[in-house]
């Protein structure tokens, strides 16, 4: 049984495009090899320059029509469509899409929270697993050790109110613990138990910070068995294949 510790990393500067997040994290935190560094998607997007001014967006006809039906800003809808592989639901003011990176979420993960410039929004990283691998490498170069990295973002959940942080990128971590074929304490063989380790780490880290405290990084310590030398398959391993989707 593991005893876990959550350590917020305070004092990081405002992140601008081009910032080497791994170096900043290594300088601001006392890390251990078996730690998991959980980074908020927003600062990853800022560092990668994934920001757009709505005033620079020219909505096309489809975006204007959908915006009128949904009561949304047509410029925002245009950005959502540009970042989406397909629209899953568009009704009652809600736009659920599958992003070009394969995530199914509201508004393609685009939002304006914690962005200082009025009228500016952040987009999800192009490839969050690649982002996690890069941050891990930067930490390794700066600190001489390679903790695991999880990039977390808040997603809504079908059939449940509220949002919870999930992993949209990870490196150095086994993202799923598959218990199928193993046995419970009573000796019964488990047939469906697959534990989303990376998502649970992302959600746990969110409890150690608030949305307005300016702390985008939390270190989770004590999960030694989950951290690996290899970068691993990333959070992409958490995406349910379309062939197994009973609801979409």
């Amino acid at each position: 049984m593991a005893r876990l510790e959550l350590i917020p990393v305070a004092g990081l500067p405002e992140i601008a495009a081009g910032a080497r997040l791994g170096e900043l994290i290594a300088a601001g935190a006392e890390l251990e090899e078996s730690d998991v560094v959980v980074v908020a998607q927003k600062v990853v997007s800022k560092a990668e320059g994934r920001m757009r001014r709505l005033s620079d967006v020219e909505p096309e006809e489809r975006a204007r029509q959908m915006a009128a039906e949904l009561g949304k800003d047509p410029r925002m809808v245009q950005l959502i469509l540009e970042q989406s592989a397909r629209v899953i639901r568009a009704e009652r003011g809600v736009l659920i899409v599958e992003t070009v990176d394969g995530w199914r979420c509201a508004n393609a993960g685009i939002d304006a929270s914690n962005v200082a410039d009025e009228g500016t929004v952040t987009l999800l990283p192009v490839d969050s697993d690649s982002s996690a691998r890069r941050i891990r490498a930067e930490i390794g170069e700066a600190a001489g050790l390679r903790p695991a990295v999880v990039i977390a973002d808040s997603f809504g959940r079908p059939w449940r109110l509220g949002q919870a942080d999930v992993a949209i990128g990870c490196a150095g971590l086994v993202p799923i613990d598959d218990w199928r074929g193993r046995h419970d304490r009573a000796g019964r063989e488990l047939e469906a138990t697959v534990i989303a380790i990376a998502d649970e780490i992302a959600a746990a880290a969110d409890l150690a910070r608030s949305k307005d405290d300016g702390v985008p990084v939390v270190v989770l310590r004590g999960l030694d068995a989950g951290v690996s030398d290899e970068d691993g398959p990333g959070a992409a391993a958490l995406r349910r294949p379309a062939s197994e989707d009973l609801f979409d």
Side-chain angles (χ1 to χ4, degrees), residues 61-177:
E61 182 59 28
R62 184 189 180 198
R64 293 182 183 278
Q65 291 178 352
M66 293 183 70
E69 295 169 0
L70 297 170
K72 287 181 172 291
D73 186 326
R75 300 170 300 177
M76 183 70 165
V77 174
Q78 179 64 39
L79 284 179
I80 294 168
L81 294 176
E82 290 175 2
Q83 299 300 310
S84 302
R86 65 188 179 102
V87 174
I88 297 173
R89 293 287 186 276
E91 56 185 88
R92 289 177 285 179
V94 178
L95 188 53
I96 307 296
V97 302
E98 180 179 338
T99 70
V100 292
D101 198 20
W103 299 111
R104 299 175 187 183
C105 57
N107 300 328
I110 301 171
D111 70 72
S113 63
N114 290 315
V115 178
D117 295 336
E118 186 71 24
T120 299
V121 297
T122 58
L123 317 180
L124 292 183
V126 172
D127 183 340
S128 297
D129 283 329
S130 292
S131 300
R133 291 191 288 269
R134 182 176 60 254
I135 293 169
R136 190 185 195 209
E138 290 173 357
I139 293 174
E141 293 171 7
L145 47 79
R146 284 164 48 87
V149 172
V150 169
I151 297 175
D153 194 13
S154 296
F155 275 31
R157 302 160 300 157
W159 305 298
R160 300 182 72 86
L161 295 174
Q163 295 80 37
D165 269 27
V166 300
I168 63 169
C170 69
L173 182 76
V174 179
I176 291 178
D177 189 5

Side-chain angles (χ1 to χ4, degrees), residues 144-247:
L145 47 79
R146 284 164 48 87
V149 172
V150 169
I151 297 175
D153 194 13
S154 296
F155 275 31
R157 302 160 300 157
W159 305 298
R160 300 182 72 86
L161 295 174
Q163 295 80 37
D165 269 27
V166 300
I168 63 169
C170 69
L173 182 76
V174 179
I176 291 178
D177 189 5
D178 191 344
W179 277 67
R180 290 173 296 182
R182 295 153 75 175
H183 296 82
D184 65 13
R185 290 185 61 192
R188 298 183 183 88
E189 183 173 330
L190 299 171
E191 298 180 354
T193 302
V194 180
I195 302 171
I197 298 294
D199 284 345
E200 292 186 333
I201 290 171
D206 195 45
L207 296 174
R209 62 185 172 206
S210 64
K211 302 299 184 185
D212 60 355
D213 61 11
V215 177
V217 178
V218 173
V219 175
L220 183 143
R221 183 164 294 161
L223 194 72
D224 301 10
V227 178
S228 64
D229 292 335
E230 301 298 323
D231 284 338
L238 291 159
R239 291 199 288 262
R240 186 181 297 277
S243 61
E244 297 180 11
D245 192 338
L246 301 179
F247 305 102

Side-chain angles (χ1 to χ4, degrees), residues 16-73:
R20 289 176 62 85
L21 274 178
E23 291 181 1
L24 295 173
I25 293 168
E30 295 183 3
L31 299 171
E32 297 180 4
E33 190 77 45
S34 58
D35 286 343
V36 182
V37 178
V38 184
V39 187
Q41 164 268 319
K42 190 62 58 70
V43 294
V44 178
S45 293
K46 288 180 178 180
E48 295 180 356
R50 295 283 289 165
M51 305 179 72
R52 291 287 300 274
R53 298 180 190 276
L54 290 178
S55 59
D56 295 336
V57 178
E58 182 61 39
E60 298 177 357
E61 182 59 28
R62 184 189 180 198
R64 293 182 183 278
Q65 291 178 352
M66 293 183 70
E69 295 169 0
L70 297 170
K72 287 181 172 291
D73 186 326

